[in-house]
C-alpha cells in the first residue's frame, strides 16, 4: 500500500556527511576477473552483496546527477533516484574506440537511440545519426539539446534556467510588481522530456508505416516557446507584449491566490454566477451587487479595487476554514500545498502518485508515480534506478552474445565496467 | 521566410471594440440549405487563401507522417486537450473537433485580444482541425457522435467523469460500438477518487499539486508560471499517451481507456523536489531564479572573490550564498544587458537574457527553429502562432490549416466520414442536431 512519505527515520538521509560531491569511484587499471564471477546467467539476482571479483576497475561516476546532493538516500543521490527507475545500466567508456564500437553494436539491436550531447560531439566518436543509421537504418534516433541541431546557438549547452529565460517563460513568471522568477521545478526541461517521449512514439508509429527510422530534434528552446501558446499569439498577432501576473490571470477576475490567516488559497470565478457565489461565501453581498463588478469584463477593468476587498476578507480566516466554506460550492478553489500537504492529499494517493520500490543500497525509496494511467495495462512493479554499470555483463551477454573471454578483455582494458552489485 | 511578429498594422486587433464576450453566433432555426450547397466534395481546399507560412521544406515528396489516416474525435475544450490534439494534428492526424452549435469551444469568446472576430487564444491552439457542430444533448446528436466514434481511431474528451456517460458517450458506451477505440479522458484530478467531481483549472491544480508553493521569490509570495504549464504538461502527457494507446493496439488489436489529469501530470513533474520530501522529509521552498553553481569571476572582474576561501567550492558558495550574490548583483547592475551578453559570449559559461515576447520572436535561433508558424485564416486573415516543439528528419509539420470556424466542416464530415445523404443532412440541420457554418 502506498503511504504518503515513508515515516522512517533510521536511514541516513545524507546531510552532514555529504558536503562535497560524492567521490567518483576510481577508474584505474584492473586485474582479470575470475571466470566464475562473469557468468551473468548463473548469478542469483545480486542486490546488495557478493564478491565483485579481484581488482577490476569499479564503475565510475556515471550520470552527473548521481553526485548531486545532499540529499542522498544512503549513498544514492535522491535527484538521480527520482527519474531513473526501470532502467538497466551499462558502463561504457565512449572515448575508447572499443567502447564506441560496442555502442554501435547495441544500436543495431535496439529500436530507439536517445542522446543529449552538443551537436557534433557524438559524430566525432562515430556515434552520430549518420553513423548509427548506416548500421541501424531502422533506428529512431532522438537528440535532445538546449537549442536545436543547427543554428546560431547550436554549440550552447542546454540548461533549464537559461532556456527558461531565453524562451520567454521567466519574463512572464513572478509577481506583478516583482522580479522574474522561474518555476520551482525545471518545467522547461520536463516539457522537453514530455515532447521527447511522445516524439519517440511518433517515430515508432512512423516506422510501422515506412519501415525506416528517422532523426528527431527535441530541444529546450523549441519546447518552451511552443508552450507559450496564447501568450505568444497575443504578441505575434497583436503586438501585445507579455507581463507578469503573479498568481492572477490576465483576463479572468478573480482567479488567483489569496493570503489567508495562515497560508494561501486559490479561488477562481469562471463566470458571473460563480462570482456571486464567491461573494456569498465571503459574506460580501454589497460587492456582488456592485455594478462595477457585475461582469468579468468589468471585474478585469476594476481589478485592483475588487482584489483589495477580497484580499482583506480572505485574510480574516484560516485556510482550513475557507476550504470548508468553499466545499461543494461549485466554485473552483484549492489550497497552495507544500510537499507534505501534496503527499498527504487523498486524491494524490488515490492516483498512485507515490511509487515505492526497494533499492539495493539505498533501501526503500519513493518517487512521484507516473502521470497517466491506462485501463489495459499498469505501470506497477517498478525496478529501482540502477547502480553504475549494474547490468554491463548481463547486457553484453544477453543482447550481444559476448563470450566470457571477450567480456574479460573489455573489462580489463576499461572499455566497460561492471558494478559489484548486479 | 519566417519573420518575427508580422509587422502589420492594418488589421483590427480587437481591444476597444471587444469588451464583452464575443456574441455567440445565433443558433436559431435555419432554413433548409440548397442541395447544391451541400456538396462538400467540390470545395477547393480552403485555408484562407493560398500559401501560408513557410516552414522547412518537406523532406522528400511523400512527407509521410506518423499519424496519417488516424482519425481523432476531439470533444475537448480550452487548453490541455486542444493543445494535445493540435500536436497530433501536426503529426498528420485528422482531428475532428466536436463543438456545440453557436458558441463552440469556450475559448472562442476569450478576449480581447481578437484577430478580426477570432479569439487569439483560440487561434493559438487549434490549427489543423475540422469543426463539426453537434448538439450533444439532442439524442440524434449523441447518436451521431457514436457513429463518428465507430469510424475513428481516438476519442478524446475533458468532461467531468460521468457526464458523457449520462449521454451514452462514456467509455463503456463507446467501447461497445468501437472496441478498437483509444478513449482518452482529461480531467482535473482523475477518473475516480475524492476530487473526481471537481472541474480542472490550471491555477487550482498548480496550487494543489505543489507547483505554486515552490515558485516565486525566496522572500516573496507564491506565483504560478506565466503560462499554464500544468495544463500544457497534461497536454503533452496526453499526446504521448494517445500514441502509446495506438502502439498498444498494434499489439493487442484492442482499444483502451486512458486517464490523464492535471494533478497527476504536475505531481509527476515534481521529480526531485518531491523525492527530497518523500525520502528525506525535506520540505520544498521557493528559490526565485536561483540555480546552478558556476560563478564567472573573470568576466565580472572580481579576482578577489575568486580567491576568497568562502566561495571556493559549490558547497561553500551555497553556504555563503547571500554575501556572494550581493557582490555579484552589485557588479551586474553596473552594465547593460547587451554589454554583459557580449562579454559572456563564447565564454563557455551558461548565460542568457530574460527575453520578453518581442525579444523571443526576434531571436535568430527561435526563427531558425521554425517557431513562428503563419497561416491564412478565412476571416481573421494572416495569423501567426508558436510553431511545433519538435522537428523530424523524415517528415515536416509544415502547411498548417487554420483553426476552423464553428461547424465549418459539419456537412463535409457527415458526407465524407459517415456517408450521409443530402436529405438526412437536411433533417439534422433543420432540427438543430447539427449546424453548418456559412464558410466552408
Amino acid at each position: 500500500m502506498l503511504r504518503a512519505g515513508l515515516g522512517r527515520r533510521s536511514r541516513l538521509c545524507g546531510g552532514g556527511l555529504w558536503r562535497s560531491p560524492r567521490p567518483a569511484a576510481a577508474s584505474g587499471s584492473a586485474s582479470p576477473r575470475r571466470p566464475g564471477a562473469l557468468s551473468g546467467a548463473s548469478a542469483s539476482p545480486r542486490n546488495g552483496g557478493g564478491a565483485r571479483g579481484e581488482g577490476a576497475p569499479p564503475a565510475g561516476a556515471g550520470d552527473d546527477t548521481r553526485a548531486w546532493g545532499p540529499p542522498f538516500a544512503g549513498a544514492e543521490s535522491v535527484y538521480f533516484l527520482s527519474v531513473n527507475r526501470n532502467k538497466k545500466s551499462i558502463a561504457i567508456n565512449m572515448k575508447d574506440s572499443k567502447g564506441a564500437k560496442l555502442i554501435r553494436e547495441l544500436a543495431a539491436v535496439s529500436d530507439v537511440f536517445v542522446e543529449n550531447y552538443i551537436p557534433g560531439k557524438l559524430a566525432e566518436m562515430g556515434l552520430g545519426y549518420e553513423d548509427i543509421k548506416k548500421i541501424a537504418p531502422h533506428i529512431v534516433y532522438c537528440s535532445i539539446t538546449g537549442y536545436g541541431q543547427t543554428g546560431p546557438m547550436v554549440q550552447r549547452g542546454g540548461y533549464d534556467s537559461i532556456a527558461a529565460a531565453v524562451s520567454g517563460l521567466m519574463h512572464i513568471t513572478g509577481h506583478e510588481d516583482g522580479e522574474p522568477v522561474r518555476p520551482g521545478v525545471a518545467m522547461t526541461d520536463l516539457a522537453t522530456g514530455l515532447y521527447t517521449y511522445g516524439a519517440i512514439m511518433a517515430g515508432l508509429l512512423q516506422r510501422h508505416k515506412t519501415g525506416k527510422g528517422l532523426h528527431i530534434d527535441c530541444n529546450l528552446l523549441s519546447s518552451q516557446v511552443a508552450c507559450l501558446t496564447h501568450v505568444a499569439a497575443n504578441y505575434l498577432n497583436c503586438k501585445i507584449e507579455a507581463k507578469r501576473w503573479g498568481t492572477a490571470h490576465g483576463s479572468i477576475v478573480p482567479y488567483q491566490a489569496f493570503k489567508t490567516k495562515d497560508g494561501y488559497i486559490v479561488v477562481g470565478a469562471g463566470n458571473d454566477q460563480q462570482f456571486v457565489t464567491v461573494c456569498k461565501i465571503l459574506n460580501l453581498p454589497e460587492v456582488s451587487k456592485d455594478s462595477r463588478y457585475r461582469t468579468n469584463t468589468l471585474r478585469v477593468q476594476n481589478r485592483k479595487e475588487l482584489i483589495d476587498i477580497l484580499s482583506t476578507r480572505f485574510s480574516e480566516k484560516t485556510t482550513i476554514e475557507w476550504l470548508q466554506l468553499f466545499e461543494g460550492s461549485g466554485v473552483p478553489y484549492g489550497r497552495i500545498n507544500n510537499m507534505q500537504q501534496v503527499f498527504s492529499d487523498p486524491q494524490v494517493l488515490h492516483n498512485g502518485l507515490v511509487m515505492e520500490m526497494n533499492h539495493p543500497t539505498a533501501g526503500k525509496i519513493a518517487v512521484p508515480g507516473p502521470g497517466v494511467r491506462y485501463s489495459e495495462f499498469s505501470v506497477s512493479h517498478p525496478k529501482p534506478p540502477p547502480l553504475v554499470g549494474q547490468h554491463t555483463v548481463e547486457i553484453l551477454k544477453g543482447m550481444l552474445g559476448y563470450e566470457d573471454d571477450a567480456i574479460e578483455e573489455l573489462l580489463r582494458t576499461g572499455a566497460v565496467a561492471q558494478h559489484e552489485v548486479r
Side-chain angles (χ1 to χ4, degrees), chain A:
Chain A
M1 196 161 350
L2 303 170
R3 299 189 303 281
L6 290 169
R8 18 189 218 352
R9 295 264 171 250
S10 54
R11 179 179 67 203
L12 173 70
C13 226
L17 289 189
W18 300 98
R19 287 224 162 255
S20 323
R22 192 172 66 100
S27 54
S29 62
S31 42
R33 300 169 65 88
R34 293 170 324 183
L38 291 173
S39 168
S42 67
S44 49
R46 298 266 197 104
N47 63 0
R52 176 166 63 91
E54 314 307 320
D63 184 316
D64 291 338
T65 61
R66 289 181 182 273
W68 287 15
F72 291 91
E76 301 305 313
S77 156
V78 173
Y79 193 108
F80 177 82
L81 293 179
S82 72
V83 290
N84 284 287
R85 63 177 179 261
N86 287 324
K87 303 176 189 175
K88 291 183 177 172
S89 168
I90 182 169
I92 300 179
N93 181 358
M94 281 181 2
K95 297 192 172 133
D96 182 324
S97 62
K98 287 204 220 65
K101 178 163 168 291
L102 262 181
I103 293 177
R104 282 190 293 273
E105 291 176 22
L106 287 167
V109 296
S110 299
D111 296 284
V112 178
F113 185 111
V114 55
E115 58 87 10
N116 72 332
Y117 284 77
I118 301 256
K121 289 276 179 284
L122 285 182
E124 284 170 19
M125 297 186 259
L127 298 173
Y129 176 58
E130 294 303 324
D131 304 304
I132 299 296
K133 184 180 171 182
K134 278 200 191 74
I135 47 137
H138 63 279
I139 205 126
V140 173
Y141 188 116
C142 186
S143 297
I144 305 172
T145 56
Y147 302 94
Q149 289 293 298
T150 55
M153 293 172 89
V154 68
Q155 284 304 304
R156 301 247 212 124
Y159 295 85
D160 175 87
S161 292
I162 313 283
V166 173
S167 66
L169 179 64
M170 228 188 255
H171 173 77
I172 61 178
T173 301
H175 220 272
E176 205 171 340
D177 313 311
E179 314 219 311
V181 296
R182 65 175 195 96
V185 71
M187 286 308 290
T188 302
D189 256 334
L190 294 166
T192 304
L194 290 171
Y195 265 113
T196 298
Y197 111 87
I200 287 174
M201 282 193 293
L204 291 171
L205 284 166
Q206 175 78 327
R207 194 168 74 193
H208 273 284
K209 289 183 192 307
T210 64
K212 299 196 311 183
L214 78 173
H215 190 189
I216 303 173
D217 176 351
C218 295
N219 63 85
L220 302 183
L221 180 69
S222 294
S223 304
Q224 190 59 69
V225 172
C227 282
L228 292 179
T229 57
H230 59 99
V231 176
N234 286 355
Y235 172 74
L236 291 171
N237 294 285
C238 305
K239 288 276 189 276
I240 295 171
E241 184 53 68
K243 58 179 286 241
R244 290 184 282 286
W245 285 104
T247 61
H249 199 284
S251 42
I252 302 173
V253 175
Y255 184 32
Q256 63 178 73
F258 293 96
K259 209 166 186 171
T260 66
K261 215 175 204 173
D262 60 351
Y264 298 92
I265 188 174
V266 177
V267 172
N271 56 45
D272 300 336
Q273 185 53 52
Q274 285 181 357
F275 177 65
V276 169
T277 308
V278 170
C279 291
K280 208 193 272 177
I281 295 174
L282 266 58
N283 193 20
L284 292 168
E286 68 286 2
V287 173
S288 68
K289 298 198 197 79
D290 192 323
S291 58
R292 284 174 295 171
Y293 312 129
R294 214 171 22 82
T295 66
N296 182 59
T297 308
L298 287 163
R299 291 192 288 275
V300 169
Q301 276 182 288
N302 300 307
R303 177 195 283 268
K304 271 204 167 348
E305 307 92 310
L306 177 57
I307 295 302
D308 278 346
I309 296 169
L310 300 178
S311 300
T312 306
R313 182 51 52 92
F314 270 112
S315 69
E316 293 168 5
K317 290 195 202 294
T318 64
T319 305
I320 295 275
E321 289 176 300
W322 286 122
L323 291 176
Q324 285 164 350
L325 287 166
F326 274 95
E327 196 178 336
S329 64
V331 171
Y333 73 98
R335 177 176 57 189
I336 292 186
N337 284 335
N338 64 15
M339 291 301 112
Q340 186 271 323
Q341 292 161 334
V342 169
F343 291 103
S344 45
D345 184 291
Q347 186 70 41
V348 169
L349 300 179
H350 177 89
N351 286 7
L353 290 166
V354 179
M355 193 175 233
E356 294 181 335
M357 63 202 88
N358 284 315
H359 186 281
T361 63
K364 190 171 238 176
I365 60 170
V367 295
V372 180
R373 297 202 283 184
Y374 301 79
S375 66
E376 290 289 309
F377 64 91
S378 82
V379 294
S380 54
H381 310 303
K383 295 199 173 53
L387 301 159
V388 181
Q390 188 176 344
H391 308 92
T392 299
V393 171
E394 175 193 317
I395 291 167
L396 291 176
K397 274 184 170 278
M399 269 181 86
L400 299 180
Y402 271 54
E403 302 286 348
D404 287 357
D405 52 351
I407 296 176
E408 286 252 17
E409 180 65 17
L410 289 168
L411 285 164
R412 192 184 61 75
T413 58
V416 303
Q418 167 68 42
H419 198 282
E420 60 209 40
V421 171
R422 298 204 189 189

